[in-house]
Amino acid sequence: MMMKHTLLYFTKAIVFGLLMAAVFLLVNHLLGNQANNLFRANDDNTAELSFAKAVRRAAPAVVNIYSLSIDQRQPLNSGALQGLGSGVIMSKQGYVLTNYHVIKKADEIVVALQDGRRFSGEVVGSDPETDLSVLKIEGDNLPVVPLNLNSLPQVGDVVLAIGNPYNLGQTITQGIISATGRNGLSSGYQDFLQTDAAINAGNSGGALVDTAGVLVGINTAAFQIGGEGGGHGINFAIPIKLAYSIMGKLIENGRVIRGAMGFSGMPVVPVMAQILKLPDLRGVIITDIDAAGPAAQAKLMPRDVIIQYAGEDVPGVDMLMDRIAETAPGTEITMTIIRKGESYTVPVIIGEKVSQYN
């Protein structure tokens, strides 16, 4: 009996040791692969930090976007190319993501690849709300940017911005993710990734990638004060999960169809909760109503508090605006509101938000 227990003890110890060795080797292999991506060996067998592999993976898919300007007085003469910004090839089918503000005034668009090829770009659709446009080019063996929609960037991640600043040619800048936002259709700067990687004029529409060369955002803007340019280390990129969703809608419909209710609201603060006899601080207080909108037709009123939307609790303004935007126009939904301390259910037919193209 003692021999049996001894053998069992040693067997468990050996199995545990083998498992731990396997885990160690696996982790070492994964870390080794990551280190190989970040470090480059020198001739003297030392290693130095480098993002060259990430750049080689992503940069070929980042294109330069030009406008073909034709002199109307001599329309038969060849036109001159004027630099507009950057874009990212998202698929082998030739779909290119860029910013709406990059191409909105272009009469004819030329997309230039890093291998020297040039293509005429056709606008598939645009969404001014998120400042995104999709172009289509026709070509073979197009480079496509690496993509992983399940890997979300975190504050502190190192990122690289790739684009064509000031039409100087493709340039790489490096920084970190300074802040992250949401991924909702209601849009706004709160949705964006903030980074201190330099995004200058011409970088717009280019790629923001991680240290593996995987696309995490579409560069869009630099923070400006008054008439100043950028240079404050506060730059913005549209998160790829939102950009990819918008791209799909633009390819399908040529535009993004958003629901709307025709009201503005504010979060519930303690003072208003007491005044309006609310049980807690959740919900959205209606502050203003469009007289011709769905909210007015449903007889909603200022100071009504929306606490549920289509059976889902409403914690605040951002969530509610996203849910409304994601609801197809013409859909009837039921909301729960509190008015003068009493709870009511209200049916509302969602309208369509009109995008302003300017």
Side-chain angles (χ1 to χ4, degrees):
M1 182 66 70
M2 183 177 295
M3 179 65 71
K4 183 178 179 181
H5 283 297
T6 302
L7 287 174
L8 184 60
Y9 174 80
F10 280 111
T11 300
K12 288 182 177 179
I14 291 170
V15 170
F16 179 75
L18 290 173
L19 286 174
M20 291 302 296
V23 171
F24 176 79
L25 290 173
L26 178 61
V27 171
N28 189 55
H29 173 71
L30 294 174
L31 291 177
N33 286 341
Q34 184 175 2
N36 287 337
N37 285 330
L38 295 180
F39 290 90
R40 181 177 60 191
N42 292 325
D43 294 337
D44 58 359
N45 292 326
T46 61
E48 64 180 16
L49 183 64
S50 173
F51 303 111
K53 288 187 178 180
V55 172
R56 284 198 298 270
R57 289 189 72 196
V62 181
V63 300
N64 300 342
I65 296 178
Y66 300 92
S67 173
L68 183 60
S69 173
I70 298 177
D71 189 342
Q72 297 300 322
R73 295 168 299 182
Q74 297 177 315
L76 297 180
N77 290 350
S78 59
L81 291 178
Q82 179 181 0
L84 294 177
S86 307
V88 183
I89 301 176
M90 300 295 293
S91 72
K92 289 291 185 182
Q93 290 73 37
Y95 289 110
V96 178
L97 257 180
T98 186
N99 286 146
Y100 169 64
H101 77 260
V102 166
I103 57 91
K104 68 178 181 179
K105 294 183 180 179
D107 295 323
E108 189 170 346
I109 298 169
V110 175
V111 177
L113 274 62
Q114 303 309 312
D115 60 14
R117 289 183 289 172
R118 291 182 178 180
F119 300 96
S120 176
E122 174 190 355
V123 179
V124 175
S126 297
D127 182 46
E129 296 282 340
T130 52
D131 193 22
L132 285 170
S133 288
V134 175
L135 309 178
K136 181 76 161 57
I137 59 176
E138 300 291 341
D140 298 325
N141 300 316
L142 296 173
V144 177
V145 71
L147 193 64
N148 181 3
L149 297 178
N150 295 320
S151 178
L152 300 179
Q154 300 181 42
V155 173
D157 285 353
V158 175
V159 287
L160 311 172
I162 309 176
N164 179 26
Y166 302 108
N167 201 25
L168 295 173
Q170 192 174 86
T171 302
I172 318 295
T173 57
Q174 177 259 328
I176 65 168
I177 297 291
S178 308
T180 59
R182 299 176 299 108
N183 291 316
L185 278 183
S186 60
S187 81
Y189 276 101
Q190 68 270 22
D191 298 335
F192 290 179
L193 300 174
Q194 182 185 323
T195 177
D196 62 350
I199 298 176
N200 299 301
N203 270 104
S204 295
L208 190 72
V209 304
D210 63 18
T211 54
V214 176
L215 186 67
V216 299
I218 301 295
N219 301 327
T220 188
F223 180 73
Q224 299 183 7
I225 300 176
E228 298 179 13
H232 300 285
I234 303 175
N235 306 297
F236 297 99
I238 303 164
I240 188 53
K241 196 166 185 179
L242 173 60
Y244 192 84
S245 172
I246 296 295
M247 182 180 73
K249 296 176 188 300
L250 292 177
I251 292 172
E252 182 179 358
N253 301 311
R255 63 192 179 96
V256 177
I257 300 172
R258 290 179 174 84
M261 278 184 57
F263 76 90
S264 56
M266 62 174 283
V268 177
V269 295
V271 173
M272 293 304 295
Q274 185 175 4
I275 293 173
L276 299 176
K277 302 178 182 178
L278 303 179
D280 48 45
L281 298 181
R282 66 189 176 97
V284 173
I285 303 172
I286 296 177
T287 55
D288 190 45
I289 291 181
D290 177 1
Q297 294 173 12
K299 302 192 183 314
L300 292 173
M301 301 169 57
R303 303 187 77 171
D304 285 347
V305 182
I306 303 171
I307 60 171
Q308 278 195 339
Y309 179 86
E312 186 177 5
D313 288 344
V314 175
V317 177
D318 292 340
M319 172 271 183
L320 177 61
M321 294 307 178
D322 277 348
R323 294 296 181 272
I324 294 172
E326 291 160 1
T327 304
T331 303
E332 181 175 295
I333 60 93
T334 299
M335 296 196 310
T336 302
I337 68 167
I338 295 178
R339 177 183 295 169
K340 296 180 180 179
E342 299 292 331
S343 178
Y344 300 90
T345 57
V346 180
V348 183
I349 297 177
I350 301 299
E352 181 176 346
K353 185 175 183 178
V354 179
S355 294
Q356 301 295 325
Y357 293 81
N358 49 32

